[in-house]
């Protein structure tokens, strides 16, 4: 029998509350209904003060059928043929697929087949940045091709790595070489985006060989402990815990004693508490964990050596916004003063106009640079608004253009070499076929020889075209295409010639 | 004060200026009344602060720059009497009449506190209207009159490195009026941006330098750089491809012995 609020009030002689007891009967009716999930006996004991937990106590209704796929609509599956776009052959396999109104979909797993951005380098780039006395260019080329073949899966790459006269590369050697080459390429190539993105990309190729070797050594030693060693370690750990515990207890006692007697703090240093690692429980897993936590210097070895991106460019001196506003109002730029520099009168840079410091290209390639820039509508000798920012941009632009011109120059050189080799090959072919012609002495052969001479003439013309193409960027490019097709046709004639020759011989 | 003459290291401070000239065609009456009847134009060459005062009739010159410039010397063509003209106080400008364009030497001397040497620069006196490609360089006078005043101005920034403390104080007491953010008047014409659209934008009144011009040029340079890099990317690929071909051919040649 539950006491009503009115009863309590009267018992404690509290005046009747202003609110009438109207909701009471309602409540009782509500209470009469037993909430689900509470047994009848329990409910009669705790009565209407049923905990709000009742809802959570509700038993899962296992007997009810789960509803899948909405209101009983049937799901249709169909055996369909599909192609995996990652395959180069057009193998067709079949799989079950849910029938959707919008027809057959793309192979859903193809989105996981991500091709990593592979880096390649030219001879020139190699000699400039990538030289390494441990590695030859051929071997580096080989490494890159293997990495590409096996999709940067390093264990497989290491397994399959078979370079002739291979000086036994470890997995770390390979990774170190690959990543360092990538980093150098990114760093030295002109970058279209901002510095932050570049730093992020470089740091994504970060690889610390020393550290990786250390890490593996450490893991090996960890895994190679004998049971005795493990037991000893455990015992030591328990011992340390015990000592710490004692120390704490001693400190606590001393503190309370001092406070009681003299009202001062003990002044003993706090003992650093180890966080709640389950104490010396048997089992290797927990033990390794405990050990890792204890060994302070090893904790972060597991994380790859990727320094946080933000910290890289942020090393420039930070400025409060107030200072920055002041500086920009007064057109002030601050730079780090090298501490070593001695203040001398001679070292002082006199006042100048910004436009005095516009970058100038190297005299040898200046005409090509101004032409390239003119095509882009830029005059490198003058700026409309030579502000600091714009001068920097112009510098960056000039740098990029210089390297473009350099690359084109190298392309021309290689092109020339190719032509020379082709001519030599062509000459050999010609002499061979001429020999064949002599052997046969047939009227038809002379026509073949004529053909080959035409091909050679074309080759020479191609070289002439190359020489002119240096002058202009656009025209050079447009001229390149016919030249290439020309060289292809000359190769073609050579091969057909070879073919006819063989036929005749046979 | 001894510490006033200490250089503030690691600091550079600049002041935006413009230099150039405006020119108008003289009327017949003016020509007759002048001592040189063959002079066809009146021009004013000047060094001023970069931003323009609102509703002023000149390009730039919102601030008095005599707090850091002591003197500007204009070196005129030798045919002018007394060709080297000193202007010792603001406004640093010189008005003359003439009939032809020539290079004017401008020498800016700084106030004594700066401890800096004078700097020299050149300006090509512009009398004839800016012409689009293909139009005659020098139109007949009657047409030039219709065109209105000719403006040729170059923005620039004078940079002081490690200024003396007292000179720095002097400069910071006079912060320059910032350039207006948006275009309010015609855009000054410049040879580095000599497109027909730019020519059109420069017409119709007294031009004014704006921060938008700087932004526009920044974007243009950045865009150009992106294009160059994309082009470079293509060429590098081509190069690598060609090197491979070369290698293949070399092997072929070697194989044939």
């Amino acid at each position: 029998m539950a006491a009503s609020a009115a009863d309590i009030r009267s018992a404690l002689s509290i005046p009747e509350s202003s609110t009438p007891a109207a909701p009471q009967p309602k409540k009782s009716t509500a209470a009469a209904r037993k909430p689900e999930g509470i047994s009848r006996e329990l409910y009669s004991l705790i009565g209407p003060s049923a905990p709000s937990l009742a809802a959570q106590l509700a038993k899962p209704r296992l007997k009810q059928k789960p509803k899948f796929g909405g209101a009983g609509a049937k799901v249709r599956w169909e055996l369909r043929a599909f192609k995996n776009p990652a395959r180069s052959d057009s193998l067709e396999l079949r799989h079950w697929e849910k029938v959707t109104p919008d027809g057959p979909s793309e192979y859903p797993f193809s989105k996981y087949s991500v091709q990593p951005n592979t880096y390649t380098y030219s001879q020139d780039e190699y000699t400039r940045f990538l030289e390494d006395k441990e590695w030859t260019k051929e071997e580096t080329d080989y490494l890159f091709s293997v990495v590409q073949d096996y999709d940067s899966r390093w264990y497989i790459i290491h397994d399959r790595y078979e370079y002739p006269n291979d000086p036994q590369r470890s997995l770390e050697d390979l990774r170190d070489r690959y990543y360092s080459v990538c980093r150098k390429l990114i760093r030295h190539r002109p970058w279209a985006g901002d510095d932050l993105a570049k730093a992020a990309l470089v740091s994504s190729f970060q690889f610390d060989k020393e550290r990786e070797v250390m890490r593996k050594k450490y893991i090996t030693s960890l895994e190679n402990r004998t049971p005795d060693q493990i037991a000893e370690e455990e015992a030591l750990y328990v011992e340390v815990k015990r000592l710490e515990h004692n120390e704490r207890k001693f400190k606590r006692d001393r503190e309370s004693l001092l406070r009681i007697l003299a009202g001062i703090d003990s002044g003993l240093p706090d003992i650093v508490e180890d966080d709640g690692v389950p104490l010396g429980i048997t089992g290797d897993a927990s033990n390794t964990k405990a050990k890792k936590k204890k060994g302070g210097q090893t904790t972060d070895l597991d994380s790859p050596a990727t320094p946080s991106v933000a910290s890289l460019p942020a090393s420039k001196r930070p400025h409060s916004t107030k200072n920055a506003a002041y500086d920009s109002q007064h057109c002030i730029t601050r730079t780090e003063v090298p501490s070593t520099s001695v203040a001398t009168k001679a070292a002082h840079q006199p006042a100048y106009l910004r436009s005095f410091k516009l970058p100038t290209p190297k005299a040898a390639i200046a005409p090509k640079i101004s032409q390239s820039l003119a095509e882009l509508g830029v005059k490198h000798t003058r700026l409309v608004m030579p502000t600091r920012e714009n001068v920097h941009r112009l510098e960056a632009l000039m740098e990029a253009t210089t390297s473009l011109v350099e690359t084109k120059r190298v392309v021309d050189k290689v092109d020339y070499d190719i032509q020379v080799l082709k001519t030599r090959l062509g000459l050999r072919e010609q002499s061979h076929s001429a020999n064949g012609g002599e052997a046969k002495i047939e009227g038809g052969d002379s026509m073949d020889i004529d053909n080959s001479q035409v091909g050679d003439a074309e080759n020479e013309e191609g070289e002439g075209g190359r020489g002119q193409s240096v002058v202009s960027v656009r025209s050079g490019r447009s001229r390149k295409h016919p030249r290439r097709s020309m060289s292809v046709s000359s190769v073609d004639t050579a091969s057909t010639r070879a073919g006819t020759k063989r036929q005749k011989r046979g | 004060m001894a510490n006033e003459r200490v250089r503030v290291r690691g600091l550079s401070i600049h002041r935006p200026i413009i230099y150039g000239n405006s020119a108008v065609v003289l009327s017949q009456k003016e020509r007759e009344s002048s001592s040189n009847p063959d002079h066809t134009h009146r021009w004013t060459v000047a060094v001023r602060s970069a931003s323009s005062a609102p509703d002023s009739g000149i390009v730039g010159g919102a601030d008095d720059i005599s707090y850091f410039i002591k003197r500007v010397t204009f070196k005129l063509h030798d045919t002018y009497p007394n060709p080297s003209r000193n202007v010792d106080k603001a406004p640093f400008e010189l008005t003359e009449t003439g009939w032809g364009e020539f290079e004017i030497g401008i020498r800016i001397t700084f106030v004594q506190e700066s401890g800096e040497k004078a700097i020299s620069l050149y300006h090509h006196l512009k009398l004839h209207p800016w012409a689009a490609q293909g139009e005659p360089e020098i139109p007949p006078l009657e047409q030039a009159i219709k065109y209105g005043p000719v403006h040729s101005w170059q923005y620039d920034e004078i940079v002081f490195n490690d200024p003396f403390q007292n000179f720095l104080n002097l400069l910071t007491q006079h912060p320059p009026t910032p350039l207006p953010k948006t275009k309010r008047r015609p855009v000054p014409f410049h040879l580095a941006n000599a497109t027909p659209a730019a020519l059109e934008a420069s017409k119709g009144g007294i031009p004014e330098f704006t921060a938008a011009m700087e932004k526009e040029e920044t974007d243009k340079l950045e865009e150009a750089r992106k294009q160059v890099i994309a082009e470079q990317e293509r060429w590098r690929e081509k190069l690598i491809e060609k090197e491979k071909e070369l290698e293949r051919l070399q092997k072929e040649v070697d194989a044939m012995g």
Side-chain angles (χ1 to χ4, degrees), chain A residues 222-438:
Chain A
L222 191 68
E223 297 297 330
N224 285 343
R225 288 175 306 163
T226 61
D228 283 352
Q229 282 172 326
I230 294 174
E232 192 187 340
E233 214 167 75
E234 235 159 71
L236 278 174
Y237 185 65
V238 172
E239 184 69 16
V240 164
K241 276 284 158 193
R242 202 179 55 78
L243 285 175
E244 268 176 18
H245 181 75
N246 281 352
E247 192 87 350
R248 265 201 299 280
K249 192 159 169 262
F250 171 74
K251 190 194 166 197
R252 224 177 12 249
D253 288 353
R254 189 188 148 97
E255 215 155 70
S256 61
L257 209 60
L258 276 173
R259 201 165 290 137
I260 289 164
L261 294 179
I264 49 160
D265 282 340
S266 69
L268 285 183
D270 273 323
I271 295 150
V272 192
E273 256 185 82
D274 215 347
D275 38 21
V277 179
L279 250 180
I281 315 161
T282 49
D284 234 351
S286 71
N287 212 301
T288 27
K289 238 189 230 165
K291 206 190 157 197
K292 266 188 192 166
K293 283 210 171 145
K294 269 201 306 183
Q297 89 277 16
T298 60
T299 42
D300 52 350
L301 267 193
D302 269 9
S303 61
T306 39
S308 70
V309 174
S311 71
L312 284 172
S315 57
K316 282 176 191 165
R317 70 197 262 164
H319 260 304
S320 70
T321 47
K322 196 184 154 201
N323 263 351
Y326 176 85
D327 284 0
S328 87
Q329 185 199 355
H330 294 283
C331 309
I332 291 174
T333 329
R334 292 167 204 274
T335 46
E336 207 66 62
V337 190
S339 52
T340 49
S341 76
V342 188
T344 51
K345 263 193 176 170
H348 176 68
Q349 190 186 20
Y352 62 93
L353 280 180
R354 281 241 200 266
S355 53
F356 289 3
K357 305 273 171 176
L358 290 186
T360 45
K362 271 187 246 161
I365 52 171
K368 276 188 221 163
I369 285 196
S370 17
Q371 180 166 6
S372 298
L373 289 178
E375 280 179 30
L376 296 163
V378 176
K379 259 193 190 161
H380 68 86
T381 47
R382 301 191 77 167
L383 280 179
V384 181
M385 303 289 282
T387 57
R388 205 170 106 86
E389 172 80 3
N390 283 352
V391 172
H392 280 319
R393 302 248 170 199
L394 184 65
E395 269 167 21
L397 174 62
M398 293 275 276
E399 211 173 281
T401 317
T402 309
S403 87
L404 173 64
V405 169
E406 292 283 327
T407 310
K408 281 183 186 167
R409 201 177 50 80
V410 180
V411 168
D412 279 333
K413 191 180 148 292
V414 172
D415 237 6
Y416 176 74
D417 290 347
I418 287 178
Q419 292 303 336
V420 167
L421 281 182
K422 272 193 181 150
T423 323
R424 275 175 66 188
L425 273 178
L427 281 177
R428 288 234 174 79
E429 284 290 334
Q430 198 187 344
S431 64
H432 277 235
S433 64
N435 286 342
E438 268 174 22

Side-chain angles (χ1 to χ4, degrees), chain B residues 125-164:
Chain B
L125 178 67
K126 183 85 185 148
L127 298 183
H128 309 297
W130 296 105
Q133 214 101 51
E135 280 178 32
E137 285 280 305
I138 303 172
L141 274 185
E142 307 82 66
Q143 255 181 48
I145 288 175
K146 274 184 227 143
Y147 187 88
V150 173
H151 294 281
S152 169
W153 297 92
Q154 170 69 53
Y155 174 93
D156 218 322
E157 291 176 356
I158 301 180
V159 187
F160 301 100
N161 276 312
D162 306 344
F164 286 114

Side-chain angles (χ1 to χ4, degrees), chain A residues 3-58:
Chain A
S4 75
D7 292 340
I8 295 169
R9 276 177 211 281
S10 67
L12 297 174
S13 64
I14 300 169
E16 193 70 31
S17 74
S18 55
T19 47
Q24 273 212 332
K26 238 185 207 171
K27 212 183 238 172
S28 62
T29 54
R33 233 179 283 126
K34 177 179 80 76
E36 275 178 79
I38 299 180
S39 69
R40 188 167 50 82
E41 292 80 12
L42 178 63
Y43 184 70
S44 70
L45 275 175
I46 58 174
S49 60
S52 56
L53 285 169
Q56 282 146 38
L57 284 172

Side-chain angles (χ1 to χ4, degrees), chain A residues 120-125 137 141 189-194 326 329-337 341-344 348-356 373 376-379 382-391 393-394 396-397 400-405 407-408 410-412 414-415 417-419 421-422 424-425 428-429 432 473-474 476-477 480-481 483-484 487, chain B residues 7-17 19 108 110 115-117 119-121 154-163 168 171-176 179 188 190-194 209-211 213-215 217-229 231-250 252-254 256-257:
Chain A
T120 41
Y121 42 84
S122 62
Q123 177 70 50
D124 177 53
E125 277 177 316
K137 176 160 190 294
D141 288 346
R189 282 179 183 172
W191 179 255
D194 58 330
Y326 176 85
Q329 185 199 355
H330 294 283
C331 309
I332 291 174
T333 329
R334 292 167 204 274
T335 46
E336 207 66 62
V337 190
S341 76
V342 188
T344 51
H348 176 68
Q349 190 186 20
Y352 62 93
L353 280 180
R354 281 241 200 266
S355 53
F356 289 3
L373 289 178
L376 296 163
V378 176
K379 259 193 190 161
R382 301 191 77 167
L383 280 179
V384 181
M385 303 289 282
T387 57
R388 205 170 106 86
E389 172 80 3
N390 283 352
V391 172
R393 302 248 170 199
L394 184 65
L397 174 62
T401 317
T402 309
S403 87
L404 173 64
V405 169
T407 310
K408 281 183 186 167
V410 180
V411 168
D412 279 333
V414 172
D415 237 6
D417 290 347
I418 287 178
Q419 292 303 336
L421 281 182
K422 272 193 181 150
R424 275 175 66 188
L425 273 178
R428 288 234 174 79
E429 284 290 334
H432 277 235
V473 190
R474 286 275 156 81
R477 225 180 305 142
K480 229 140 219 148
H481 285 293
R483 180 152 42 84
R484 189 184 275 179
S487 64
Chain B
R7 286 198 184 275
V8 184
R9 301 265 159 210
L11 186 147
S12 79
I13 180 165
H14 71 260
R15 284 290 174 265
I17 59 152
Y19 59 88
I108 301 176
F110 301 108
E116 296 286 354
K117 284 185 196 141
I119 55 174
S120 295
L121 44 128
Q154 170 69 53
Y155 174 93
D156 218 322
E157 291 176 356
I158 301 180
V159 187
F160 301 100
N161 276 312
D162 306 344
L168 179 64
L171 289 174
T172 50
Q173 278 161 24
H174 300 87
L179 292 177
H190 194 281
L191 279 176
N193 187 23
F209 286 85
T210 61
M213 289 170 65
E214 184 195 352
K215 176 81 175 44
E217 187 161 51
T218 307
D219 292 348
K220 186 171 124 185
L221 291 171
E222 190 59 20
E223 184 50 43
R225 191 171 75 94
K226 285 207 173 115
Q227 279 183 31
V228 167
I229 287 172
E231 180 82 2
Q232 154 90 342
E233 210 62 42
R234 272 200 297 284
W235 277 86
R236 188 188 302 118
E237 267 160 39
K238 194 184 248 179
L239 171 62
I240 291 165
E241 198 180 290
K242 290 219 180 264
E243 273 176 356
K244 280 190 185 137
E245 192 186 345
L246 180 65
E247 209 172 301
R248 195 177 51 74
L249 283 171
Q250 187 65 54
E252 231 171 275
V253 168
D254 291 347
M256 286 179 83

Side-chain angles (χ1 to χ4, degrees), chain A residues 186-230:
Chain A
I186 299 167
R187 212 170 286 146
H188 287 105
R189 282 179 183 172
W191 179 255
D194 58 330
D195 289 348
L196 203 68
K198 183 171 180 170
L201 190 63
V202 168
S203 75
S204 75
F205 284 100
Q206 203 56 249
F207 181 75
D208 191 341
K209 187 172 152 192
E210 302 280 301
R211 201 170 175 171
E212 185 69 10
V213 170
M214 265 261 287
R215 184 180 76 86
K216 288 198 169 164
K217 243 187 226 160
Y218 176 74
I219 290 177
T220 321
S221 77
L222 191 68
E223 297 297 330
N224 285 343
R225 288 175 306 163
T226 61
D228 283 352
Q229 282 172 326
I230 294 174

